[in-house]
Amino acid sequence: MSSTDPLRSGLRELTRQSVRAQISDRAMELFIEHGFEKTTIEQIAAEIGMSGRSVSRYFASKEDMVVGNLTGIGQGIAERLAARPADEPVWEALRRSLDEHVAALDRDPDGTLLATSVMLAGTPALQGALAKKQREWQDLLVPLVAARLDEGGEHRELRARALAVTVLSCLNAAVGAWTDSGGSERVDVLVDVALGAVGGAAGRR
């Protein structure tokens, strides 16, 4: 293999990512404007000067155009969890790992994230794809949470998954409440309310 092959490969991947982002961004604009169900891949392709077949080489489905970027969000949460101090309580570390994602939702200057959340909540065709992506988030977090738990305890992975699932469920509940409020409530406050409810209930047990 020549020394330029890795460079060419890297450039191809950057080009592919750029095209995917272009397709996804325009698709989201059309989904929000016309509705997910009513927008076709052919319409999206026409908007960006490609054929439907070419678009399908970048995205297997319309659903993937909506939830594909969620992989990056999950990876970001995992990276921030990994960077938290080793001696920080696991519950606090998980909460702080959500900060950047929550802050982005609260900023949402043009309302695109809120509109996307409304679409996700109201489109049955997207629910399965969304659930699959969120299971991927769980799988990213579980080994990082497990590393913070007492090695001598029983069912370490189960406990780690329970914590990861609970925190992500609280995030989902908070985002749902934010969506229902039309963006009038702050996501960071809602996340703390949800996590506090779970923590308080566990403490009373």
Side-chain angles (χ1 to χ4, degrees), residues 4 8 18 20 45 54 56 79 85 101 110 132 141 147 152 168 194 201 203:
T4 59
R8 290 198 188 101
S18 176
R20 278 179 59 91
S54 294
S56 295
E79 289 169 2
H101 176 51
D110 60 1
K132 181 179 179 181
L141 294 179
L168 292 178

Side-chain angles (χ1 to χ4, degrees), residues 32-82:
I32 291 170
E33 182 178 357
H34 301 294
F36 179 81
E37 301 285 6
K38 293 182 179 179
T39 303
T40 66
I41 288 180
E42 287 70 25
Q43 288 173 317
I44 297 166
E47 286 285 332
I48 56 177
M50 297 175 70
S51 68
R53 179 176 295 180
S54 294
V55 168
S56 295
R57 285 201 289 267
Y58 290 92
F59 291 96
S61 66
K62 290 195 302 178
E63 289 81 0
D64 193 34
M65 295 178 190
V66 178
V67 303
N69 70 323
L70 295 182
T71 298
I73 294 172
Q75 289 171 341
I77 293 171
E79 289 169 2
R80 288 188 291 278
L81 177 59

